[in-house]
């Protein structure tokens, strides 16, 4: 007669406890290292914003110095282009981190301040050096709210698609209206933004509600055509 | 600053469970490493009658080589019976085997209409004379010493089966090399499972069973897609033990291309899933570590798979919009605490490789690039095979075909 002992337990309670303890230590260490890396990422972004701010200060200085000289327009254009590229990258990185779950409201506020300043400066420069900016250069201000706007995330993605299509001829400035940032509130007042999502095309046309990328592209084209028609020749 | 992804609490919990099981198994290994690496080459004077059953369906390419290896076994000929079950082959399998049988009186060929491997085994077991029956896939080759080494693991009367140490015969491309490493990892982990009385598969190439017990528990399951796993679980449900031999050196042919591999693994995954569902009642403390850790973690694996696919889909479909604008920055910015745990998983896998697998299989040349390839590609391949298995289930409505 075979004695069927079945499957006796081989792992003792102490082994289970040891595994639990070691796992907990590794897990805690992993989370700690991860948090340190996360903090490092945010610090890198923060210093990126500082560096962009410095660049903007120098463009501002340039603007003040060359107020009456149209010959300086190509320099503005080049400097603003660099500043825009840097600011845009910072925005993508902040949005990417946010998508991954890492949020830092203070960092975003300082980014919005940079973005708003860069936008206002570029508007001034464009007005002054109209001939140096191609007619097909557009700006879009995108106002969203992360906490109470189901369509805002998708609207952001639609604008990314438009950006992918138009490349450097479009500059999108995004602003989170739910953060309590003073500069964003001022811009909302200036462009009469009352709901989310809203976009402002070329600083003169505010459109509320969700719109897909084809629709936005068509609106940008229409605006550009109008500009092209009304632009002085020669 | 806050961290809040869509699934983060489940991500953290599942990661912790995976880490816990990996650490637990490593501790089990460290505690039992001498036994795990122990070589058992003597059958201690025990020479039972053994029937080697070779079910074959259209195996004319391999059957001669397979039989040649069995005939060269270092075992008394009067204690060895070899049965080739020609399962309705449409090629010359029976003819090739018949020619060899003419010169070897202890080898005979049983011909029958096609009815599948499990039924072929059952019919042969009913006619076999051996106290033990060895199941041998026709595309596999045994080493002369393999039978003695496997018999050495029948160390008590309640051991109903011993899983053979199956290795890949030849690896000459990437798909084959990944499988070669995978087989070695599987063999090693099966030895750890042996320490826990939790071996969950008796692979087709040369696993050996007590004939009387197989008949008592109802033979191989004709409805299972992976009958070699089903029988291992059923034996343990009936209170028997299943052991594993790592150094018996059985060499098997493997799928040569990705599509062949996908076909094989789709069947394995589907069969494995239904076996797990069939034996959910083994998840119980009365089945020891098998019921407390191994099977629960196996079932948890299904949840993990579905969850991982959800997270993957979420990251691709919902959260991948900004990556194209920031390039490589995405990699560094995307690192989070859970990625550290992936690193820990790699460290544990390497620990097993350097301290477990490499010393255990000294004769196998295992290069670090191969191991790295395996560790990176295996999870991806597994996910693909799972997709294929799920699709196949839906397409066939759960109907099993080989």
């Amino acid at each position: 007669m075979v004695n069927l002992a079945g499957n006796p337990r081989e792992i003792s309670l102490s082994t289970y406890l040891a595994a639990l303890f070691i796992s907990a230590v590794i897990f805690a260490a992993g989370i700690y290292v991860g948090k340190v890396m996360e903090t490092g990422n945010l610090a890198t972004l923060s210093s990126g914003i500082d560096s962009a701010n410095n660049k903007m200060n120098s463009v501002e200085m340039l603007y003040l110095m060359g107020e009456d000289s149209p010959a300086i327009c190509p320099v503005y254009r080049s400097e603003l282009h660099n500043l825009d590229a840097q600011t845009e990258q910072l925005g993508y990185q902040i949005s990417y981190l946010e998508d991954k779950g890492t949020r830092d409201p203070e960092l975003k506020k300082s980014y919005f301040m940079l973005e708003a300043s860069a936008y206002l400066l570029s508007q001034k420069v464009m007005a002054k050096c109209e001939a140096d900016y191609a007619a097909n250069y557009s700006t879009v201000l995108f106002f969203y709210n992360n906490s109470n706007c189901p369509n805002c995330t998708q609207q952001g993605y639609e604008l990314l698609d438009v950006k992918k299509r138009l490349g450097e001829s479009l500059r999108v400035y995004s602003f989170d209206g739910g953060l309590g940032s003073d500069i964003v509130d001022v811009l909302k007042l200036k462009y009469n933004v009352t709901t989310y999502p809203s976009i402002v095309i070329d600083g003169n046309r505010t459109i509320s509600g969700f719109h897909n990328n084809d629709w936005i592209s068509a609106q940008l084209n229409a605006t550009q055509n109008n500009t092209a028609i009304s632009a002085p020749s020669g | 600053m806050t961290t809040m992804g869509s699934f983060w609490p489940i991500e953290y919990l599942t990661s912790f469970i995976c880490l816990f099981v990996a650490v637990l198994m490593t501790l089990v290994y460290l505690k039992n490493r001498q036994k795990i690496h122990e070589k058992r080459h003597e059958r201690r004077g025990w020479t039972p009658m053994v029937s080697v059953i070779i079910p074959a369906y259209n195996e004319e390419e391999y059957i001669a080589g397979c039989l040649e290896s069995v005939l060269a076994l270092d075992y008394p000929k009067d204690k060895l019976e070899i049965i080739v079950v020609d399962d309705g082959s449409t090629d010359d399998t029976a003819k090739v085997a018949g020619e060899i049988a003419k010169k070897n009186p202890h080898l005979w060929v049983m011909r029958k209409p096609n009815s599948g491997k499990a039924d072929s085994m059952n019919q042969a077991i009913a006619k076999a004379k051996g106290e033990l029956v060895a199941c041998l896939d026709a595309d596999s080759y045994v080493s002369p010493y393999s039978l003695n080494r496997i018999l050495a693991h029948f160390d008590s009367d309640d051991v109903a089966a011993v899983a053979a140490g199956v290795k890949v015969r030849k690896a000459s491309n990437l798909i084959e090399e990944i499988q070669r490493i995978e087989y070695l990892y599987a063999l090693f982990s099966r030895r750890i499972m042996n320490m826990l009385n939790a071996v969950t598969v008796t692979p087709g190439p040369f696993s050996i069973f007590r004939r009387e017990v197989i008949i008592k528990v109802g033979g191989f399951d004709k409805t299972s897609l992976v009958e070699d796993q089903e029988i291992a679980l059923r034996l343990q449900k009936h209170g028997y033990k299943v052991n594993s031999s790592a150094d018996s050196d059985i060499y098997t042919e493997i799928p040569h291309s990705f599509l062949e591999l996908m076909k094989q693994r789709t069947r394995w995954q589907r069969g494995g899933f239904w076996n797990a569902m069939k034996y959910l009642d083994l998840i119980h403390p009365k089945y020891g570590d098998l019921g407390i850790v191994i099977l629960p973690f196996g079932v948890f694996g299904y949840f993990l798979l579905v969850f991982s696919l959800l997270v993957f889909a979420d990251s691709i479909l919902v959260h991948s919009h900004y990556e194209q604008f920031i390039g490589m920055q995405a990699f560094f910015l995307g690192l989070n605490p859970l990625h550290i745990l992936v690193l820990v998983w790699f460290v544990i896998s390497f620990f097993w490789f350097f301290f477990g697998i490499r010393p255990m299989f000294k004769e196998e040349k295992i290069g670090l690039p191969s191991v790295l390839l395996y560790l990176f590609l295996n999870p991806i391949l597994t996910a693909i095979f799972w997709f294929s298995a799920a699709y196949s289930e839906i397409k066939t409505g759960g109907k099993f075909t080989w």
Side-chain angles (χ1 to χ4, degrees):
Chain A
M1 184 71 182
V2 178
N3 176 29
L4 296 178
N7 304 58
R9 276 180 62 176
E10 298 292 336
I11 307 177
S12 62
L13 182 64
S14 60
T15 308
Y16 277 111
L17 290 176
L20 192 66
F21 176 73
I22 295 168
S23 308
V25 169
I26 295 173
F27 201 74
I31 287 174
Y32 176 75
V33 173
K35 289 283 174 199
V36 168
M37 283 179 351
E38 198 174 86
T39 309
N41 282 337
L42 292 171
T44 307
L45 285 176
S46 181
S47 64
I49 291 172
D50 290 345
S51 148
N53 268 322
N54 288 339
K55 192 170 275 176
M56 199 178 60
N57 288 340
S58 68
V59 183
E60 273 175 346
M61 189 65 78
L62 210 60
Y63 183 79
L64 290 174
M65 286 193 311
E67 205 169 356
D68 299 324
S69 167
I72 208 163
C73 279
V75 182
Y76 289 144
R77 190 181 170 187
S78 157
E79 288 296 311
L80 271 177
H81 176 79
N82 290 341
L83 178 63
D84 270 352
Q86 192 176 353
T87 313
E88 237 173 9
Q89 265 300 310
L90 286 167
Y92 293 142
Q93 290 175 19
I94 289 171
S95 299
Y96 176 76
L97 275 184
E98 200 163 71
D99 249 9
K100 293 280 175 195
T102 303
R103 288 177 189 153
D104 186 340
E106 291 310 312
L107 184 82
K108 275 184 90 175
K109 279 184 190 172
S110 58
Y111 173 71
F112 293 146
M113 182 66 88
L114 166 70
E115 238 190 350
S117 311
Y119 169 70
L120 294 172
L121 184 62
S122 73
Q123 290 296 99
K124 280 189 185 301
V125 170
M126 269 200 275
K128 183 175 177 173
C129 304
E130 207 168 345
D132 275 277
Y133 281 86
N136 60 350
Y137 182 87
S138 302
T139 59
V140 168
L141 303 184
F142 168 43
F143 292 89
Y144 64 95
N145 187 333
N146 262 342
S147 50
N148 192 21
C149 172
N151 287 329
C152 282
T153 305
Q154 190 55 39
Q155 184 66 79
Y157 297 153
E158 297 292 332
L159 281 167
L160 279 180
D161 285 341
V162 181
K163 171 71 188 172
K164 211 157 55 176
R165 205 179 292 172
L166 299 181
E168 289 187 357
S169 61
L170 172 68
R171 174 69 173 99
V172 180
Y173 300 86
S174 304
F175 298 101
D176 184 346
L179 275 186
S181 160
D182 292 341
I183 189 73
V184 178
D185 289 342
V186 171
L187 287 173
K188 276 168 61 185
L189 272 176
K190 179 175 164 74
Y191 294 109
N192 197 24
V193 171
T194 50
T195 58
Y196 302 107
S198 286
I199 57 174
V200 180
I201 295 178
D202 288 338
N204 55 29
R205 195 172 158 213
T206 301
I207 301 164
S208 298
F210 174 82
H211 298 284
N212 68 25
N213 62 74
D214 288 331
W215 190 89
I216 297 169
S217 295
Q219 300 308 306
L220 287 169
N221 278 337
T223 310
Q224 281 303 326
N225 290 338
N226 290 339
T227 311
I229 291 161
S230 60
S233 58
Chain B
M1 179 174 78
T2 59
T3 299
M4 191 74 78
S6 318
F7 301 104
W8 76 270
I10 312 176
E11 279 179 29
Y12 276 58
L13 183 66
T14 51
S15 303
F16 185 79
I17 292 171
C18 293
L19 177 66
F20 171 73
V21 173
V23 170
L24 186 66
M25 290 304 116
T26 306
L27 290 181
V28 169
Y29 167 69
L30 289 173
K31 198 175 166 190
N32 296 281
R33 62 187 181 281
Q34 277 184 329
K35 276 196 217 168
I36 287 169
H37 287 275
E38 179 191 24
K39 304 276 183 198
R40 288 196 195 180
H41 295 171
E42 297 301 323
R43 56 189 147 83
R44 300 183 180 93
W46 181 49
T47 314
M49 179 76 188
V50 178
S51 299
V52 178
I53 301 171
I54 308 169
Y57 175 73
N58 289 348
E59 300 280 8
E60 67 176 2
E61 190 184 345
Y62 301 116
I63 192 72
C66 171
L67 284 172
E68 201 178 304
S69 74
V70 177
L71 290 166
L73 276 172
D74 175 20
Y75 203 72
K77 295 285 175 276
D78 60 329
K79 295 284 186 181
L80 195 63
E81 176 190 35
I82 306 164
I83 308 171
V84 175
V85 187
D86 178 45
D87 188 21
S89 295
T90 53
D91 66 0
D92 282 339
T93 302
K95 192 179 162 192
V96 174
E99 288 298 320
I100 299 170
K102 282 179 192 167
K103 298 172 215 155
N104 297 281
H106 60 306
L107 190 167
W108 60 282
V109 181
M110 178 178 157
R111 300 190 72 169
K112 56 179 259 307
N114 182 265
S115 59
K117 183 180 162 187
D119 190 49
S120 301
M121 281 298 298
N122 289 340
Q123 289 193 34
I125 286 168
K127 292 180 180 169
K129 295 182 211 146
E131 179 186 342
L132 301 179
V133 287
C135 170
L136 178 60
D137 289 347
D139 60 354
S140 305
Y141 314 91
V142 299
S143 299
Y145 46 80
S146 56
L147 184 51
N148 288 326
R149 290 189 181 182
I150 293 173
L151 292 192
H153 287 273
F154 279 93
D155 50 10
S156 65
D157 290 343
D158 60 346
V159 176
V162 175
V166 187
K167 295 176 182 173
V168 168
R169 191 178 78 86
K170 193 179 162 200
S172 40
N173 64 31
L174 178 69
I175 288 289
E176 291 169 347
E177 182 62 6
I178 290 170
Q179 290 177 83
R180 186 175 77 94
I181 304 299
E182 179 196 25
Y183 273 60
L184 297 177
Y185 263 95
L187 255 182
F188 174 71
S189 57
R190 208 176 297 138
R191 280 296 293 159
I192 298 180
M193 294 302 115
N194 200 158
M195 296 303 113
L196 305 178
N197 301 309
V199 175
T200 55
V201 65
T202 43
F206 219 50
S207 289
I208 299 184
F209 306 86
R210 286 189 197 275
R211 178 175 171 271
E212 188 190 5
V213 176
I214 289 288
I215 292 172
K216 191 174 156 188
V217 300
F220 286 90
D221 181 359
K222 288 183 275 187
T223 65
S224 176
L225 275 175
V226 276
E227 76 296 324
D228 51 0
Q229 185 193 55
E230 197 278 341
I231 193 71
L233 293 172
R234 184 143 43 96
L235 287 170
Q236 288 172 91
K237 188 174 180 179
H238 283 81
Y240 292 98
K241 280 184 187 165
V242 176
N243 279 344
S244 171
S245 141
D247 58 351
S248 42
D249 295 344
I250 312 299
Y251 294 92
T252 191
E253 299 288 344
I254 50 165
H256 306 301
S257 68
F258 174 75
L259 284 180
E260 284 177 38
L261 182 66
M262 186 156 88
K263 191 178 171 199
Q264 181 196 55
R265 297 310 165 94
T266 299
R267 179 171 65 80
W268 286 10
Q269 303 285 16
R270 287 179 68 196
F273 174 77
W274 287 113
N275 284 339
M277 295 302 109
K278 184 175 175 182
Y279 290 103
L280 276 178
D281 57 342
L282 286 181
I283 298 177
H284 191 282
K286 77 175 176 182
Y287 295 103
D289 301 315
L290 177 73
I292 298 169
V293 188
I294 305 304
L295 286 180
F297 189 64
V299 173
F300 171 75
Y302 294 110
F303 164 76
L304 192 65
L305 182 97
V306 173
F307 178 66
S308 302
L309 290 177
L310 267 178
V311 172
F312 182 66
D314 180 63
S315 68
I316 293 293
L317 300 176
V318 183
H319 293 302
S320 66
H321 297 80
Y322 296 102
E323 276 147 348
Q324 57 195 307
F325 293 98
I326 58 176
M328 272 305 285
Q329 275 291 323
F331 175 77
F332 297 104
L333 291 174
L335 285 174
N336 69 34
L338 295 183
H339 292 120
I340 305 298
L341 296 175
V342 174
L343 189 69
V344 170
W345 179 78
F346 267 95
V347 169
I348 290 176
S349 297
F350 278 118
F351 171 82
W352 282 29
F353 168 65
F354 282 112
F355 296 98
I357 292 167
R358 208 144 75 166
M360 185 176 273
F361 306 109
K362 282 178 190 151
E363 71 290 352
E364 292 275 334
K365 288 176 186 151
I366 318 171
L368 197 56
S370 295
V371 175
L372 278 170
L373 262 178
Y374 165 72
L375 290 178
F376 277 108
L377 289 181
N378 193 47
I380 299 167
L381 288 174
T382 304
I384 294 170
F385 300 146
W386 260 107
F387 262 124
S388 168
Y391 173 74
S392 190
E393 275 296 316
I394 294 163
K395 195 177 154 199
T396 61
K399 195 179 167 191
F400 293 165
T401 49
W402 272 66

